[in-house]
């Protein structure tokens, strides 16, 4: 079996632990390879490399850094099929989504490469004569990137591309469920000409590798996507480092009585069961007007029961496996909770045999305070909550600790605008599902979803840079601000 290595200072090397772990294809339980069980010492070496390469990389003009990013785009495009198949094999999502994952990485690298010729600051008048004021963007320094398994190329790319274009140097830890996707991404960066030491990769556990990436005194910034508990741990342990967090959601689709129910059905199936429900943006609640609830449930059930589970590489498959055994157990635990809290319409079973498969599951007549209506399951499990009007729908939508994505289906423009105004989420959709954000818009959420930062788009540049304010006095005399003579 192939043994993969860590990447430190431009070299592929073994961990000082001399230990490895395996990554599995979640559809077959077959091993994909062995990976280094990294430790604190490996992280220290990676940070040392990042420190030594910082001056040269941050001194490189941003348009020159962009040339390397454009080359990464070219290589990702050239390798899209291969990488898409790898995403499907290591993470489980169906191939068209595996390819979408890689496309999202291509899109963000392209966007950030363009930023190499912008990285805008601004100019602004001074309160005094003969004085010029402006801002510029500077890199933060060494940044730690810790990424999840559900978008194993796209999310690393959301973080790597802005970090690189802004001139930071990087230590990157991919999820231990998808280390190979992380390694293949770094191989592309290496081939594209990212200088040694600028990007370093360590595989291994959060408790050792991740923790050191957070508390190392030379790290200036941390970007993390993953679960809430880890996010809170990072905030408590990061000291005064700049931290960006994206910690999940419990995303609602509101369905009003004037909605096109066929359109809703497609959006609900895509949002709830696409990626087997394993998106932070997945639609896990349908908040529906009681007058159309039954008609909608009939429509929905007919199609959900036709969904085919299987290996994501098979073209007949609609829904792939969950990522691992723990995910199956968690989804099933919520099924038993759901059976006490609502009415099971379909699913609710573990699929026996190879792989981590779970039947698409729907509960109805769930109250907005039920645990299955409030807690993130991160699996193919949907709760339907009936409501009487828009105000109640928005109240229910907001009755959670998270605030990532939300959607409304309505043909009444007033409903749509009231929803946009009042729903508590970082991303809102009208007449479309809760998933499928585009990379040039900010991604992130309010309340328990994060700490106020956003990634992707121009906000990704803000996440990975700091603003410097500059004053140039050409009056030739001492001028004092705030009216002091
Ligand atoms: C995630 O699940 O963390 O908006 C990312 C979407 C995708 C990204 C999801 N573009 O659904």
């Amino acid at each position: 079996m192939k043994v993969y290595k860590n990447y430190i200072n431009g070299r592929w090397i073994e961990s000082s632990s001399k230990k490895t772990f395996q990554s599995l294809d979640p559809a077959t339980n077959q091993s994909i390879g062995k990976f280094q069980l990294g430790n604190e010492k490996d992280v220290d070496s990676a940070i040392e490399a990042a420190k030594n390469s910082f001056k040269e990389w941050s001194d490189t003009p941003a348009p020159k850094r962009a040339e390397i990013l454009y080359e990464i785009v070219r290589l990702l495009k050239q390798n899209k099929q291969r990488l898409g198949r790898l995403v499907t094999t290591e993470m489980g999502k169906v191939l068209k989504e595996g390819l979408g994952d890689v496309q999202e990485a291509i899109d963000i690298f392209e966007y950030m490469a363009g930023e190499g010729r912008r990285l805008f600051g601004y100019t602004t008048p001074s309160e005094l004569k003969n004085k010029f004021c402006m801002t510029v963007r500077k890199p933060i320094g060494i940044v730690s990137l810790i990424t999840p398994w559900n978008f194993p190329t796209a999310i690393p790319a959301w973080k790597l591309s802005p970090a690189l274009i802004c001139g930071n140097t990087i230590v990157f830890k991919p999820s231990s469920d998808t280390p190979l996707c992380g390694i293949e991404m770094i191989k592309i960066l290496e081939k594209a000409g990212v200088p040694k030491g600028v990007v370093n990769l360590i595989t291994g556990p959060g408790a050792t590798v991740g923790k050191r990436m957070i508390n190392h005194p030379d790290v200036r910034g941390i970007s993390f996507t993953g679960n809430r508990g880890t996010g809170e741990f990072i905030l408590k342990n990061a000291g005064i480092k700049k931290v960006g967090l994206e910690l999940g959601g419990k995303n609602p689709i509101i369905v009003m009585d004037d909605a096109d129910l066929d359109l809703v059905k497609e959006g609900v199936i895509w949002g709830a069961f696409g990626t087997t429900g394993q998106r932070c943006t997945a639609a896990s609640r349908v908040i529906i007007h009681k007058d159309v609830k039954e008609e909608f449930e009939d429509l929905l059930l007919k199609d959900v029961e036709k969904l085919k589970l299987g290996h994501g590489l098979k073209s007949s498959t609609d829904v792939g496996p969950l990522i691992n055994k723990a995910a199956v157990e968690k989804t099933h635990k919520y099924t038993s909770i759901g059976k006490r809290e609502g009415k099971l319409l379909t699913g609710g079973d573990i699929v026996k045999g190879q792989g981590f498969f779970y039947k698409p599951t729907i509960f109805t007549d769930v109250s907005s305070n039920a645990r299955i209506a409030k807690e993130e399951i991160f699996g193919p499990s949907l709760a339907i909550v009936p409501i009487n009007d828009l105000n109640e729908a928005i109240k229910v939508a907001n009755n959670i600790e998270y605030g990532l994505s939300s959607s409304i289906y309505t043909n009444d423009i007033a409903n749509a605008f009231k929803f946009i105004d009042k729903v508590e989420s970082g991303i809102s959709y009208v007449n479309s599902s809760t998933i499928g954000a585009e990379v040039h818009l900010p991604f992130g959420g309010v309340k328990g979803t994060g700490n106020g930062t956003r990634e992707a788009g121009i906000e990704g540049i803000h996440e990975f840079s700091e603003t410097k304010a500059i004053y140039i006095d050409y009056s030739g005399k001492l001028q004092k601000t705030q009216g002091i003579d």
Side-chain angles (χ1 to χ4, degrees), residues 104 150-151 155 158 225 246 279-281 429 435-437 443:
E104 199 162 339
N150 69 332
F151 276 81
I155 294 180
W158 288 2
T225 301
E246 200 278 277
R279 294 197 192 205
C280 301
T281 50
Y429 293 90
I435 66 176
F443 187 93

Side-chain angles (χ1 to χ4, degrees), residues 233-246:
F233 176 88
I234 291 174
L235 268 190
K236 282 193 196 111
N237 290 276
I240 54 167
K241 297 177 173 76
K242 187 172 183 182
V243 179
L245 300 174
E246 200 278 277

Side-chain angles (χ1 to χ4, degrees), residues 400-451:
I400 48 163
E401 287 175 25
Y402 295 103
L404 182 54
S405 185
S406 62
S407 143
I408 190 169
Y409 281 81
T410 181
N411 281 308
D412 180 335
I413 190 90
N415 283 344
F417 272 95
K418 277 184 203 154
F419 159 80
I420 293 167
D421 186 35
K422 295 289 180 234
V423 75
E424 295 164 355
S425 65
I427 304 167
S428 291
Y429 293 90
V430 176
N431 290 332
S432 162
S433 196
T434 55
I435 66 176
E438 301 175 35
V439 301
H440 52 299
L441 276 83
F443 187 93
V446 300
K447 303 202 292 191
T449 291
N451 58 337

